[in-house]
Structures are given as C-alpha cells and as structure tokens.
Amino acid sequence: MDIEFVRSRFIKHFDGKTGNIYASPGRINLIGEHTDYNGGFVFPGAVDKGMMCEIRPNGTDTIMAYSIDLKDRVEFKVDDPEGPRASWARYIYGVVQEMKKLGVDVKGFNTAFAGDVPLGAGMSSSAALESCYAFALNDLFGDNKVSKWDMVLAGQATEHNYCGVNCGIMDQFASVFGKAGCLMRLDCRSREFEYFPFKPEGYKLVLLDSVVKHELAGSPYNDRRNSCENVVKHIAAKHPEGKFETLRDCTWEQLEEVKAEVGDEDYRRAKFVLGEKDRVLAVCDALNAGDYETVGKKMYETHYGLSKEYEVSCEELDYLNDIAKENGVTGSRIMGGGFGGCTINLVKEELYDKFIADAKEKFTAKYGHSPKVYDVVIGDGSRKIC
C-alpha cells in the first residue's frame, strides 16, 4: 500500500492538513475453515496486503470519511443512533460505537482510507478495515488502553451488530495479532494461541482468485451457523449432564447419536466441522515435523468437505482445485467463507510456473476470464505507520 497516495487523497479531500496513518492486514488461513464460530481451531496468518487509513481529529462531533477506492464520502455524528446507510461506512460507524462501549472517548475526525486486499477474494478486507480503525481510535482517543483482544472483539461485534454477519473471531484476530513469517494456531474457545514459524523451503504459497464475488451477509453464512447450533442443541438434550456450547464440545459418537433427528443437511455440516477440528491439529503436528505432504493432503480433504459437506464452494473453485491436483500441487483448497473467492495452494517451486500457466489457460477457456494470482507473503498485524 502506497502511504503517499493515501496521504495525498486525505489532503485533497479535507483541509489540507495531515494526520496519523495506520494499517491492518488481510489474512490467509492455511486450514481450519468455519471452525471459529464453532469453538474449534484455526490456523491463520496476516498478509502483506491490507487496509490503510489516515485520520485526524477535527474538533467537532462529526465523522467525515472518504473511501478512496470507491470515491465516496459519508458524514455522520459520533452519537448517531442509526448510522450511515453506505455499507462500507457502517464498518467505521460500528467500530466507533464498539470502542465507545470500551470506554474510548471518540470525538469527530476526518479520515480517508484505501486497501489492496483483493475484495471478494476471501482475505477479509472487512476485518482489516475494522482492525485498522479500532487500532487508530485506541491510539488517538483511548491512550492505547484497550487490549488487542478487546479490539478483536470490537471488530467482531461490528460485523454482528451493524453489518449482518454473525462471524467468528478468526479474521479480526489474524489482522490484529499477525506477525511476519509466522502462522498462528488459535483455539477459538479458550482464545489461547501459538505462533508457528512458516517458511517452507522449496514451496510457495499462492492464492488463485476465481474473481467470483461472494456476499456473506444474509442467509448462506448464517444458515450454516444455525445448522451447527441445531446439532449442539440436540446433543445437549441427550446429555443433560454435560456442557455443550459449540460443536467443539461434541464428539463423533454424540454426532452419530443425533443423526436421524437433525436431518442430513445439518448432520453433514456438523461432520465437516468435527473433521476440520481434527485436520488443524494434524497440520500443526505435520508442520512441526516439516511434513508438507501431510499438510497438503489435509488441505485437499478440507476442500472436499467444504464443497460436498458444508456446501460453500462453487463450480469455479472446484475447477481450480481439480487443476491443482492435475498439476501435482501439494495442497489446495477453497479459502474463506465461501461462495466465491480464492483457492489457497501449497506448490513446490519447480511446479509453480507450469501450474500457474495451466490454471490461467484452462480457467480462461472455460469461464472467459483469467484467475488472479497472489503470491502470499506473511506480514505484520495492526500498526501505526506514522
């Protein structure tokens, strides 16, 4: 992201004065999809692409925000009970409200922001935006008294309360806690996490963006969460002596007990989640052993589950996964919430050029446009630039 570009737009669209510049990254997730809101494990890392904002207090009770990428400007009061209608501005509005709940005395400010996270690619541009503003407001108005974890939860609450997505905590966690050269295993139930150095010699990590856009707000995402919660409810009813909050608390045997009651769709979705919990732990063991073949095998298993059991893939992503298999790619799977976006691929360096060329040629022939290619560099989390 170009600091001078963001600054030039900020100066142009406001009073000519400069402010502070902050940045937060998007993320990849090596494995562990749709497990965060089920209390399981995820394995994300921050990337070197994200959101950057310049922000300056303006001495009023009004927030004036400019989206550089959308060329759109919105104004709203800090204490506006409704907030702006523009979907992009509701992220900023939501973070303001949630940071106020944490005791941050937010005043009016001018801000402009831009991002180089590919929109719709499953790299969590919204979490990057939320984390960027949570970090900025904490620094400007909160004396940095709000903890990193509370900033993560403020971003999650923004999605829940103002944007209509009942998401887990992985995206915001990765954006805030990211560390260059490291992936992180997060236990979404206890919030304990551990950094794992990720520098796979002889391999590249690359995203292939199908350029199929997905919209998570509304039923597709929330329906799957409801399926998982329904299974937990039935298991809890059979075992009143236990404590069942999420699928993380449930066993394979307990899932089989309620199979007939919950219906095939909910059963398949819960089956994917329990399998994914096991796969994340297997990948951690494999990384510690330097066994990238097992890492890749688990990635393919995850793709199958997301496509056939959780049903959040699409034809284009399944095709990219098939091309990866044909080219001997070590591991490949859909990444993100689903319904479009990217595949994440673990590729031996000697196979990389042929794989990318083959994917572009075959995908273009079938769908009329080429997938976008993003080499992954693991970067740092939320920070003040200047």
Side-chain angles (χ1 to χ4, degrees), residues 3 82 103 133 153 162 182 185 191 200 209 226 302 333:
I3 296 172
E82 299 295 329
Y133 277 97
L153 296 172
Y162 310 97
C182 291
R185 182 183 68 195
R191 298 184 194 161
D209 184 358
N226 292 338
T302 290
R333 70 173 190 85

Side-chain angles (χ1 to χ4, degrees), residues 169-188:
I169 60 172
M170 176 182 68
D171 296 348
Q172 293 79 7
F173 164 81
S175 191
V176 171
F177 281 95
K179 185 177 179 181
C182 291
L183 299 180
M184 300 166 284
R185 182 183 68 195
L186 170 66
D187 182 332
C188 296

Side-chain angles (χ1 to χ4, degrees), residues 202-204 206 292-293 296-297 299-300 319-332 345-356 358-359 362:
Y203 292 86
K204 286 189 173 185
V206 61
Y292 288 96
E293 293 302 314
K297 178 184 176 184
M299 291 171 70
Y300 278 116
Y319 189 57
L320 286 173
N321 186 256
D322 288 341
I323 294 171
K325 287 179 185 173
E326 292 168 7
N327 279 269
V329 170
T330 302
S332 177
N345 304 271
L346 182 64
V347 191
K348 288 182 178 177
E349 289 179 350
E350 62 265 26
L351 299 177
Y352 177 86
D353 290 340
K354 180 180 180 300
F355 166 54
I356 296 301
D358 198 44
K362 290 180 177 177

Side-chain angles (χ1 to χ4, degrees), residues 111-359:
T111 187
F113 72 93
D116 59 356
V117 184
L119 297 178
M123 296 174 72
S124 299
S125 56
S126 60
L129 184 62
E130 293 151 4
S131 302
C132 191
Y133 277 97
F135 194 94
L137 297 180
N138 191 32
D139 184 55
L140 284 172
F141 301 109
D143 296 322
N144 291 302
K145 65 185 178 184
V146 175
S147 71
K148 283 188 173 183
W149 263 116
D150 280 337
M151 286 190 281
V152 168
L153 296 172
Q156 181 192 32
T158 294
E159 297 275 2
H160 289 194
N161 298 332
Y162 310 97
C163 304
V165 177
N166 199 17
C167 66
I169 60 172
M170 176 182 68
D171 296 348
Q172 293 79 7
F173 164 81
S175 191
V176 171
F177 281 95
K179 185 177 179 181
C182 291
L183 299 180
M184 300 166 284
R185 182 183 68 195
L186 170 66
D187 182 332
C188 296
R189 181 172 65 183
S190 69
R191 298 184 194 161
E192 294 174 337
F193 68 95
E194 182 179 354
Y195 289 104
F196 282 73
F198 185 74
K199 298 173 183 175
E201 294 184 12
Y203 292 86
K204 286 189 173 185
L205 204 56
V206 61
L207 304 181
L208 292 186
D209 184 358
S210 67
V211 201
V212 176
K213 302 304 180 186
H214 62 287
E215 179 57 65
L216 290 182
S219 63
Y221 183 100
N222 293 337
D223 281 354
R224 280 151 183 79
R225 183 162 187 162
N226 292 338
S227 289
C228 296
E229 291 173 352
N230 181 50
V231 171
V232 173
K233 182 177 70 175
H234 279 80
I235 290 174
K238 280 190 178 295
H239 296 275
E241 74 287 353
K243 182 180 180 183
F244 298 92
E245 295 181 353
T246 66
L247 280 172
R248 168 70 178 280
D249 304 314
C250 306
T251 67
W252 285 104
E253 292 75 19
Q254 289 163 348
L255 174 60
E256 292 301 321
E257 287 175 2
V258 300
K259 180 177 181 179
E261 299 172 24
V262 300
D264 183 61
E265 183 176 77
D266 286 2
Y267 169 79
R268 281 187 286 106
R269 290 173 176 177
K271 180 173 179 283
F272 166 76
V273 172
L274 290 187
E276 189 73 345
K277 178 182 72 172
D278 293 345
R279 283 187 287 270
V280 174
L281 297 178
V283 163
C284 292
D285 291 340
L287 284 176
N288 282 331
D291 178 6
Y292 288 96
E293 293 302 314
T294 294
V295 173
K297 178 184 176 184
K298 296 301 174 183
M299 291 171 70
Y300 278 116
E301 288 176 8
T302 290
H303 183 89
Y304 177 87
L306 287 168
S307 177
K308 308 305 179 189
E309 295 172 344
Y310 221 66
E311 297 178 301
V312 294
S313 188
C314 60
E315 178 186 329
E316 293 89 346
L317 291 168
D318 287 345
Y319 189 57
L320 286 173
N321 186 256
D322 288 341
I323 294 171
K325 287 179 185 173
E326 292 168 7
N327 279 269
V329 170
T330 302
S332 177
R333 70 173 190 85
I334 177 178
M335 188 192 75
F339 311 105
C342 288
T343 58
I344 182 169
N345 304 271
L346 182 64
V347 191
K348 288 182 178 177
E349 289 179 350
E350 62 265 26
L351 299 177
Y352 177 86
D353 290 340
K354 180 180 180 300
F355 166 54
I356 296 301
D358 198 44

